[in-house]
């Protein structure tokens, strides 16, 4: 979009709930494509991510058997032992191979969800505009039609997610670096508190408050570029141009944008915690099954019980991320002045 960017009035800023209400209305009216795309993302995450995790367990199986054997020998000789003492380095190497693959699965899922929801909002706008011209009314947005309209945007959406991940890693790693340096007592004048020596004001400021400030700035950065996928769908721009446009749009109302983004993020985080809690029940039965099939190998069962709640939450999280995508697409339209419409590829059939 060219020209000056419209500025949101103070009344519109105070009416941030109107964007949320609009997103909920579109989510309810177009629940089939919204939650259908979530089902596709969850199924893909379950199959691909589950396959990766299963492969990691298979690659580490011998390590778990060695850990069990070492523990049983130590118990038989009444010696003390540390779990995975000789296997820890190898297990970490497996984890370093698995985590990037799981991050890639997550990037693909988020790119698909945000693209699909931006297309869904565009379809809702077309349907609203057709109220005055029934002949121009779009067909039903089926899951197949949603895929046809989202597919041309998917490559750029993946690039947007990659750039977003790189932007998020900078403050994330910077905060962890500060924590690590302070905990290692590498900062002159800063000493870790002990039982007899409480934390000083300098330690609290540098070792506790500074990392939180860095991560908060990271959240602000994510909020400012969170509209990039919706911009890409609407303007057919490149990934970098979409991120620049998102930054420009959110500059007109940064507090408004950050507030809406944090509201959606909080809803997703709460949903994740609830799903993780429900996943503990799945972990219980999965642990019993693993014990029965491995001759009560508590070493592999313990790892399975730890990761199962997180895996369950991640597989079901698209059902919360999909409405978040609708919210971001509606926010983009609000910042654009409510006139932006998504590009409809001429080759994309509807219905």
């Amino acid at each position: 979009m060219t020209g000056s960017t419209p500025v949101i009035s103070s009344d519109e800023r105070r009416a941030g709930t109107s964007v949320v209400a609009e997103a909920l209305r579109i989510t309810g009216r177009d629940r089939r494509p919204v939650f259908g795309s979530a089902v596709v993302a969850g199924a893909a995450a379950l199959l691909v991510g589950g396959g990766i995790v299963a492969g990691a367990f298979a690659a580490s199986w011998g390590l778990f058997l060695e850990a069990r054997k070492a523990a049983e020998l130590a118990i038989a000789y009444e010696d003390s032992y540390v779990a995975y003492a000789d296997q820890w380095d190898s297990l970490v190497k497996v984890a370093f191979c698995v985590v990037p693959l799981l991050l890639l699965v997550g990037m693909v899922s988020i790119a698909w969800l945000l693209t699909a929801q931006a297309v869904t909002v565009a379809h809702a706008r077309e349907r609203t505009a057709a109220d005055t011209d029934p002949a121009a009314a779009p067909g039903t947005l089926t899951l197949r039609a949603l895929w046809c309209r989202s597919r041309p945007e998917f490559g750029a959406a993946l690039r947007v997610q990659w750039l977003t991940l790189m932007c998020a890693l900078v403050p994330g790693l910077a905060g962890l670096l500060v924590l690590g340096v302070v905990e290692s007592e590498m900062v002159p004048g800063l000493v870790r508190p002990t039982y007899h020596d409480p934390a000083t004001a300098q330690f609290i400021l540098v070792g506790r408050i500074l990392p939180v400030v860095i991560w908060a700035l990271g959240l602000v950065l994510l909020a400012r570029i969170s509209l990039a996928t919706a911009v890409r769908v609407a303007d057919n721009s490149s990934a970098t141009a979409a991120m620049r446009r998102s930054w420009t749009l959110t500059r007109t109302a940064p507090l408004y944008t950050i507030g809406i983004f944090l509201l959606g993020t909080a809803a997703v985080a709460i949903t994740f915690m609830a799903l993780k809690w429900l996943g503990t029940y799945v972990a219980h039965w999965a642990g019993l099954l693993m014990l029965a099939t491995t001759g009560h190998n508590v070493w592999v069962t313990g790892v399975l019980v730890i990761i199962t709640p997180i895996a369950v939450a991640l597989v079901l999280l698209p059902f919360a991320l999909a409405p978040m995508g609708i919210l971001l697409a509606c926010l983009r339209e609000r910042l654009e002045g409510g006139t932006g419409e998504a590009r409809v590829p001429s080759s994309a059939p509807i219905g």
Side-chain angles (χ1 to χ4, degrees):
M1 176 176 285
T2 58
S4 60
T5 303
V7 179
I8 293 181
S9 66
S10 59
D11 292 339
E12 287 177 318
R13 292 180 183 180
R14 287 193 297 269
T17 54
S18 64
V19 176
V20 178
E22 183 182 18
L24 292 175
R25 179 181 60 80
I26 294 176
T27 300
R29 185 169 182 178
D30 296 294
R31 55 187 176 276
R32 289 187 177 180
V34 170
F35 294 109
S37 62
V39 170
V40 171
L46 179 61
L47 293 176
V48 180
I52 293 173
V53 174
F57 271 106
S60 306
W61 199 256
L63 299 174
F64 291 120
L65 295 180
E66 291 177 7
R68 177 180 182 174
K69 182 178 179 180
E72 290 176 345
L73 287 175
I75 293 173
Y77 287 101
E78 298 181 351
D79 294 330
S80 61
Y81 66 92
V82 177
Y84 312 109
D86 298 325
Q87 297 80 29
W88 182 254
D89 291 340
S90 298
L91 289 173
V92 170
K93 292 178 182 178
V94 174
F96 271 118
C97 295
V98 170
V99 171
L101 294 177
L102 294 178
L103 281 176
L104 179 60
V105 174
M107 284 177 53
V108 173
S109 298
I110 294 175
W112 156 248
L113 286 171
L114 294 183
T115 302
Q117 308 327 313
V119 170
T120 302
V121 171
H123 182 269
R125 291 289 171 266
E126 296 162 7
R127 186 176 56 226
T128 301
D131 290 342
T132 58
D133 184 11
T140 303
L141 187 62
T142 62
L143 194 57
R144 179 177 179 274
L146 180 64
W147 166 248
C148 291
R149 292 182 60 167
S150 301
R151 184 174 54 191
E153 324 289 348
F154 193 59
L158 276 176
R159 290 191 290 274
V160 168
Q161 294 308 310
W162 170 253
L163 293 174
T164 300
L165 177 62
M166 295 298 101
C167 292
L169 282 177
V170 173
L173 294 178
L176 290 176
L177 178 62
V178 171
L179 280 178
V181 169
V182 172
E183 291 296 325
S184 301
E185 299 184 357
M186 299 175 61
V187 180
L190 290 183
V191 180
R192 292 180 57 188
T194 63
Y195 180 78
H196 299 287
D197 299 317
T200 62
Q202 295 86 346
F203 180 88
I204 295 175
L205 180 63
V206 178
R208 296 296 180 262
I209 297 179
L210 182 58
V212 173
V213 171
I214 294 174
W215 292 329
L217 291 176
L219 279 177
V220 172
L221 175 63
L222 288 179
R224 295 290 302 276
I225 61 178
S226 61
L227 308 183
T229 301
V231 170
R232 156 65 197 178
V233 172
D235 298 348
N236 191 26
S237 55
S238 65
T240 53
M243 296 189 74
R244 288 195 298 269
R245 180 58 182 165
S246 176
W247 186 269
T248 301
L249 281 176
T250 56
R251 185 173 56 193
T252 63
L255 295 180
Y256 178 85
T257 301
I258 294 169
I260 295 296
F261 177 80
L262 290 180
L263 179 64
T265 302
V268 172
I270 292 172
T271 302
F272 176 82
M273 297 304 296
L275 292 174
K276 184 180 175 182
W277 174 74
L278 292 175
T280 57
Y281 295 94
V282 179
H284 172 73
W285 293 105
L288 293 178
L289 180 61
M290 181 63 77
L291 285 174
T293 56
T294 60
H296 291 80
N297 188 332
V298 296
W299 308 104
V300 64
T301 302
V303 175
L304 178 66
V305 170
I306 290 174
I307 68 173
T308 295
I310 300 175
V312 170
L314 291 177
V315 168
L316 297 178
L317 196 60
F319 290 96
L321 290 174
M324 176 73 170
I326 295 290
L327 179 63
L328 293 177
C330 291
L331 178 60
R332 183 208 67 83
E333 288 201 341
R334 176 61 61 89
L335 295 176
E336 289 276 13
T339 59
E341 292 186 359
R343 177 180 61 87
V344 182
S346 58
S347 60
I350 302 297

